[in-house]
């Protein structure tokens, strides 16, 4: 796992990816269209962020069919859930240290 | 995003994203509202058809009698089709997907029980509910329950059944479904207390308002809450980077 100088997970410490992970952490699964509509990203941008998160093992990609149309859904993995929790713990710790 | 320029409010907003996403997913209630509308139309077709058919028969108006019976019969037929999860259920699922197609698919998991114990509980609750409906209708027709007390008596089994449904659906539907049995019970208490909320001229409304009326109200509250949640979600999740 690559880290920022402050020790935060670099994969998560990117605004678009953090928001994407936070959206997925609220639900069981969401499809590409929902993520596009919620996050307001371009298709290419969303696709590259999702790929990056999938490579890190934080997001699981589920390919399926909705009738005759293919549908790609995304689900947060257990590893992704732990990584987000750890990220917030570290960020809060940094913030409280700087606040002192 | 640097730590220096990230305000506490922004971080708190980011932490709230799962809450708004979940609240939106729990409140996609348009299919439920459609279900209520269909239920209302079926009630009108069956109840209205039977009523008009009886009236036409007594007046000797046979064409009107057969037309009314055809409407009531079509209503009953559609009722069977609609109640079947493989026909009506699948159709409603497709319509629901179409209703939210612009916003995409989001799921909180399945509400269908997977364990044998869960399935047994659902089967038991639904069977008991059906038996209670039949028993109260039979007792009402036999004159043991006065018409004006049909709703309060029905609250004895409808409210617990709706609570059961709400508990069962809570992970995927949130807290709003609990309003329905609450309103149903409150309505029954008001009727028993003698508050004039029942119609003498339209007795069928005395059951339709607590069932379809309050159900629709809960669906609408859920719908507006879902819209609000989606708006908040987009405001936070699309924030300037």
């Amino acid at each position: 796992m690559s880290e920022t100088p402050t020790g935060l997970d670099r994969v998560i410490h990117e605004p678009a990816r953090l928001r994407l992970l936070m959206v997925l952490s609220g639900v069981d699964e969401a499809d590409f269209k929902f993520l596009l509509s919620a996050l307001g990203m371009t298709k290419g941008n969303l696709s590259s962020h999702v790929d990056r998160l999938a490579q890190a093992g934080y997001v699981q990609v589920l390919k399926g069919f909705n009738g005759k149309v293919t549908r790609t859904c995304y689900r947060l993995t257990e590893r992704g859930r732990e990584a987000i929790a750890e990220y917030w713990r570290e960020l809060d710790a940094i913030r409280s240290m700087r606040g002192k | 995003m640097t730590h220096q320029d990230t305000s506490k409010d922004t971080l708190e907003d980011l932490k709230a994203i799962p809450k708004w996403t979940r609240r939106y997913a729990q409140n996609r209630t348009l299919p439920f509202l459609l279900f209520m509308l269909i239920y209302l139309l079926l009630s009108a077709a069956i109840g209205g058809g039977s009523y008009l058919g009886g009236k036409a028969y007594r007046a000797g108006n046979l064409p009107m009698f057969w037309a009314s019976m055809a409407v009531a019969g079509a209503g009953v037929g559609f009722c069977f089709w609609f109640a079947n999860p493989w026909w009506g259920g699948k159709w409603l699922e497709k319509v629901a997907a179409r209703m939210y197609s612009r916003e995409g698919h989001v799921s909180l998991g399945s509400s269908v029980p997977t364990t044998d114990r869960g399935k047994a509980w659902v089967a038991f609750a639904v069977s008991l509910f059906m038996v209670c409906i039949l028993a109260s209708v039979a007792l009402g027709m036999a004159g043991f329950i006065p018409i004006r007390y049909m709703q309060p008596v029905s609250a004895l089994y409808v409210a617990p059944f709706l609570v059961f449904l709400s508990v069962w659906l809570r992970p995927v539907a949130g807290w709003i479904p609990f309003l329905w049995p609450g309103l149903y019970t409150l309505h029954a208490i008001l009727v028993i207390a003698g508050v004039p909320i029942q119609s003498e001229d339209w007795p069928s409304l005395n059951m339709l308002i607590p069932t379809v009326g309050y159900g629709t109200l809960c669906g609408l509250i859920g719908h507006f809450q879902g819209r609000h949640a989606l708006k908040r979600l987009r405001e936070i999740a699309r924030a300037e980077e």
Side-chain angles (χ1 to χ4, degrees), chain A residues 8 13 19 22-23 25-31 33-34 37-40 71 73 87-88 91-92 95 98, chain B residues 1 3-4 6 8 11 14-15 17-18 21-22 24 101 103-109 234 236-239:
Chain A
L8 293 167
H13 193 61
R19 291 189 169 100
M22 291 305 280
V23 168
S25 70
V27 291
D28 187 49
E29 65 177 44
D31 73 354
K33 208 171 185 179
F34 176 74
S37 120
L39 297 161
R71 178 163 70 189
C73 285
Y87 174 82
W88 284 118
L91 193 60
D92 287 342
R95 282 173 55 80
R98 291 196 175 172
Chain B
M1 182 172 65
H3 307 311
Q4 286 85 357
T6 304
K8 188 171 183 293
L11 283 183
L14 286 174
K15 285 180 183 176
I17 286 179
T21 314
R22 197 162 39 246
Y24 163 72
S101 63
E103 288 164 18
H105 164 79
V106 62
S107 158
L108 287 160
R234 284 175 174 167
I236 301 168
R238 290 178 173 187

Side-chain angles (χ1 to χ4, degrees), chain B residues 58-133:
Chain B
R58 283 190 291 276
N61 186 349
L62 282 183
M64 181 65 181
F65 167 75
W66 286 115
S68 304
M69 286 298 101
V71 170
V76 171
F78 190 75
C79 219
F80 277 110
W81 179 84
F82 193 60
N84 188 314
W86 288 276
W87 301 331
K90 288 272 176 208
W91 176 79
L92 198 64
E93 230 171 68
K94 274 185 196 166
V95 174
R98 213 168 288 167
M99 281 175 158
Y100 288 104
S101 63
R102 281 181 63 193
E103 288 164 18
H105 164 79
V106 62
S107 158
L108 287 160
S110 173
S111 59
V112 177
T114 47
T115 62
D116 285 344
R117 199 175 168 193
K119 285 177 190 167
W121 266 107
V122 171
F124 172 73
V126 173
S127 308
L128 187 65
F129 182 60
M130 292 298 172
V131 168
C132 288
I133 291 176

Side-chain angles (χ1 to χ4, degrees), chain B residues 34 42 55 57 65 101 106-107 117 140 143 146 172 182 197 214 219 233:
Chain B
L34 176 70
L42 286 176
K55 214 171 162 182
Y57 186 77
F65 167 75
S101 63
V106 62
S107 158
R117 199 175 168 193
V172 295
I197 52 170
Y214 296 155
L233 171 65

Side-chain angles (χ1 to χ4, degrees), chain A residues 38-96:
Chain A
L39 297 161
M41 294 181 194
T42 62
K43 285 183 183 178
N45 212 354
L46 177 60
S47 200
S48 72
H49 285 308
V50 165
D51 285 348
R52 183 79 185 83
L53 290 168
Q55 278 168 16
Y58 294 164
V59 166
Q60 184 188 2
V61 183
L62 308 153
K63 303 256 183 198
F65 283 92
N66 178 25
K68 288 176 184 170
V69 184
T70 53
R71 178 163 70 189
T72 308
C73 285
Y74 303 95
R75 184 179 286 176
L76 196 65
T77 61
E78 201 44 51
R79 190 173 165 193
R81 208 168 286 281
E82 284 164 10
I84 295 176
E86 181 63 21
Y87 174 82
W88 284 118
R89 258 196 304 276
E90 284 172 4
L91 193 60
D92 287 342
I94 292 166
R95 282 173 55 80
S96 66

